[in-house]
Amino acid sequence: MLGTPSGDQSGTTRDDRAWWRDAVIYQVYPRSWADSDGDGIGDLPGITSRLEHLVALGVDAVWLSPFYTSPQRDAGYDVADFRDVDPIFGTLADADALVARAHDLGLRVIVDVVPNHTSDEHAWFREALASEPGSAARARYLFRDGRGDAGELPPNNWQSMFGGPAWSRTTSPDGSPGQWYLHLFDASQPDLDWTNPEVGDELESVLRFWLDRDVDGFRIDVAHGLVKADGLPDGPENFDPATQATALQPMFDQPGVHEIYRAWRRLVDEYAVPGADRDRILCAEAWVLPIDSLAHYVRPDELHQSFNFSFLMTPWIASELRISIDEGLTSVAAVGAPQTWVLSNHDVVRHASRLGYPPQAGRTRSEGIGPDDPQPDPALGLRRARAATALMLALPGSAYLYQGEELGLPEATLLPDEARQDPTWERSNHTSPGRDGCRVPVPWEADRPSFGFGPTDATWLPQPQSYRDLAVDRQDGVDGSTLELYRTLLRVRRDRGLGRGELTWADVAPADVLAFEVTGDAGATAVLTNLGTEPVPIPPGSRVLAASGPLPDSALPVDTTVWFVPA
Ligand code: GLC
């Protein structure tokens, strides 16, 4: 049950004990987790029916990707109504039931908010298209006249994250070409104009709508993109949309975003329940570099968390991981925030496949892997993924898991072209397979239709046959399975207070071994990750708490992580 008093004598939640500082949060991608009605698309009642899985796993909270009314051009990140549930996912009553059931089970619920853009089917955008240039309706978006003699050129050189220009031209009622509108993503996702106060007021009202329905926080989509540089100037000519994470881009990480998040923090703080550890939280999806700039998003009066994508993108090389972990910890310590670790989500190649390539060669971001690309080594990838997760879950701070990673699911790399739905595929002229490969429906029961995803064989993306043996029921209670590994890691992490611990490096190990101790409530826990080519001895007298693979001869094999209590 939620709302347990923190035991703090002052009667208010002491910030350094607040639940989110070391929470493990599990991302559910609603289309692909559990389908209750057999239409092949997951839904809210399906999620509610499977929440016990998360309790048995041992996570603290669930984050739901968007389930709002949407034409689904970008799998729900194109929202037509921020305050309602799309019929393919259920109803508002289903959302309420999900939140209530999760809270009964002691799980918190984070929902997505998409403030950078709406769907082109949102009432505001329809009204804008039907209105004159210069009208109040158009002023909620970024409409501009084109360049060139007849306005035939886009207003600037910005590129869409999904490929192609970030501008589309409208057609006037008389059929002649009209103004252009900005869309950093698909043409069906027009960007809002955050210099217009009506936009901020509307999004704050949306936050209140969901807080009043008792959600525990928000993951903020494209949190670094809301404010654009004054005058929408051209960006660097060599701009590569696949690396959104650079500074110096006029559409990202502009100073003005921080004002928005200060206001949002004040708003969610109104909903905290003193003494009850019920902080409502805000987590940024911000692909921002350098990492010190990212830390600005989690200053004390701004957001609670911001995904550390630098860690996610770090290759499987000990020296680079050590630097990444150090920078991750020191950057947020400077502002008094915890770090937020993540290895997989619905936009990147699953880490069980990403790590199945030689270091540096793994595809990370939204470009995906297609059947004609070099294929990852599945055994190597899974082995390293388990070691990487054990490394991540030992680190102080909060961590996010992506549905199916607890089963060791690989990316679906052999999807047929005709199955692809990610707009990246079309917008890149079929050069980038896109993100569908990490979004395939999850297998629950090996011998049921759709591997137990739903009551029928229907799945909105085809499931690889390899998912059968990875189904939850094939791993449940099976010693050494990835599912049991995750359960063990999460239990030990909690028991030993690793998420609230202090990390100290141990400089005794070979250079390609990461070795550190995390000192939490239960004393020191030692962690070794072997990224070298030879097994390394585990110090004699150690008491092993968890390991990402077998430990023959009391040694740590390559691509394996162990947690132990030192002698
Ligand atoms: C974020 C989402 C991604 C979506 C994009 C546009 O990056 O995670 O899935 O396509 O925003 O909303």
Side-chain angles (χ1 to χ4, degrees), residues 308-321:
N308 180 351
F309 294 123
S310 300
F311 176 72
L312 181 154
M313 291 189 287
T314 304
W316 190 241
I317 297 171
S319 55
E320 298 202 23
L321 281 166

Side-chain angles (χ1 to χ4, degrees), residues 74 77 117 162 185 219 221-222 285 346-347 435 439:
D74 185 22
Y77 281 95
H117 46 264
F162 296 158
F185 294 89
R219 174 267 191 190
D221 192 62
V222 202
E285 185 224 14
H346 67 291
D347 290 328
R435 302 163 293 177
R439 300 174 172 181

Side-chain angles (χ1 to χ4, degrees), residues 36-96:
S36 73
D37 58 12
D39 67 354
I41 302 179
D43 48 47
L44 300 185
I47 296 170
T48 306
S49 74
R50 294 279 191 191
L51 287 173
E52 278 92 349
H53 175 71
L54 301 185
V55 177
L57 187 60
V59 299
D60 301 287
V62 54
W63 151 36
L64 304 168
S65 281
F67 48 79
Y68 315 115
T69 313
S70 163
Q72 304 289 320
R73 303 261 183 280
D74 185 22
Y77 281 95
D78 48 324
V79 182
D81 183 349
F82 293 112
R83 296 183 185 77
D84 206 351
V85 174
D86 195 281
I88 64 170
F89 296 125
T91 62
L92 266 181
D94 292 329
D96 291 342

Side-chain angles (χ1 to χ4, degrees), residues 119-246:
S119 160
D120 60 353
E121 295 190 12
H122 190 285
W124 272 8
F125 194 71
R126 290 170 184 260
E127 191 188 340
L129 284 185
S131 303
E132 294 295 311
S135 61
R138 288 212 170 180
R140 296 169 179 144
Y141 293 91
L142 290 156
F143 283 87
R144 294 289 182 274
D145 294 331
R147 295 201 275 206
D149 292 343
E152 74 281 11
L153 299 172
N156 69 25
N157 71 352
W158 297 3
Q159 296 293 297
S160 153
M161 293 302 122
F162 296 158
W167 295 91
S168 289
R169 197 164 190 189
T170 59
T171 307
S172 304
D174 66 1
S176 64
Q179 284 192 303
W180 298 72
Y181 65 90
L182 179 72
H183 52 86
L184 294 185
F185 294 89
D186 191 56
S188 66
Q189 294 166 297
D191 279 51
L192 289 163
D193 184 351
W194 273 85
T195 65
N196 182 341
E198 203 185 341
V199 170
D201 290 349
E202 168 65 2
L203 266 294
E204 289 196 13
S205 150
V206 169
L207 297 181
R208 288 186 191 279
F209 177 87
W210 289 102
L211 289 166
D212 290 337
R213 303 191 98 87
D214 219 17
V215 304
D216 298 281
F218 301 90
R219 174 267 191 190
I220 306 168
D221 192 62
V222 202
H224 57 319
L226 277 46
V227 175
K228 281 76 178 174
D230 272 351
L232 310 182
D234 279 342
E237 277 307 323
N238 56 0
F239 169 63
D240 173 5
T243 53
Q244 277 183 58
T246 47

Side-chain angles (χ1 to χ4, degrees), residues 8-61:
D8 176 56
Q9 298 308 305
S10 71
T12 56
T13 306
R14 258 181 47 215
D15 192 49
D16 63 350
R17 302 304 297 179
W19 68 271
W20 47 270
R21 296 187 76 93
D22 66 344
V24 178
I25 301 177
Y26 182 100
Q27 180 188 358
V28 164
Y29 193 65
R31 300 177 76 81
S32 302
W33 206 53
D35 174 19
S36 73
D37 58 12
D39 67 354
I41 302 179
D43 48 47
L44 300 185
I47 296 170
T48 306
S49 74
R50 294 279 191 191
L51 287 173
E52 278 92 349
H53 175 71
L54 301 185
V55 177
L57 187 60
V59 299
D60 301 287

Side-chain angles (χ1 to χ4, degrees), residues 267-339:
L267 188 160
V268 296
D269 278 353
E270 286 175 32
Y271 285 79
V273 182
D277 200 15
R278 283 279 342 247
D279 287 1
R280 316 296 178 100
I281 69 161
L282 298 164
C283 176
E285 185 224 14
W287 294 82
V288 167
L289 284 177
I291 197 162
D292 291 330
S293 301
L294 184 65
H296 291 159
Y297 288 77
V298 291
R299 287 178 288 201
D301 59 346
E302 296 195 37
L303 308 178
H304 302 75
Q305 303 179 326
S306 187
F307 294 116
N308 180 351
F309 294 123
S310 300
F311 176 72
L312 181 154
M313 291 189 287
T314 304
W316 190 241
I317 297 171
S319 55
E320 298 202 23
L321 281 166
R322 178 167 172 164
I323 292 169
S324 175
I325 291 168
D326 269 339
E327 290 181 351
L329 291 173
T330 50
S331 62
V332 291
V335 294
Q339 189 47 273

Side-chain angles (χ1 to χ4, degrees), residues 30-43 412 415-416 418-421 436 439-445 448-465 467:
R31 300 177 76 81
S32 302
W33 206 53
D35 174 19
S36 73
D37 58 12
D39 67 354
I41 302 179
D43 48 47
L415 290 175
E418 60 277 13
R420 295 194 186 286
Q421 304 210 13
D436 293 314
R439 300 174 172 181
V440 171
V442 163
W444 295 89
E445 294 157 274
R448 301 286 296 256
S450 61
F451 305 144
F453 166 64
T456 67
D457 273 326
T459 56
W460 71 280
L461 288 170
Q463 296 166 299
Q465 274 308 308
Y467 278 26

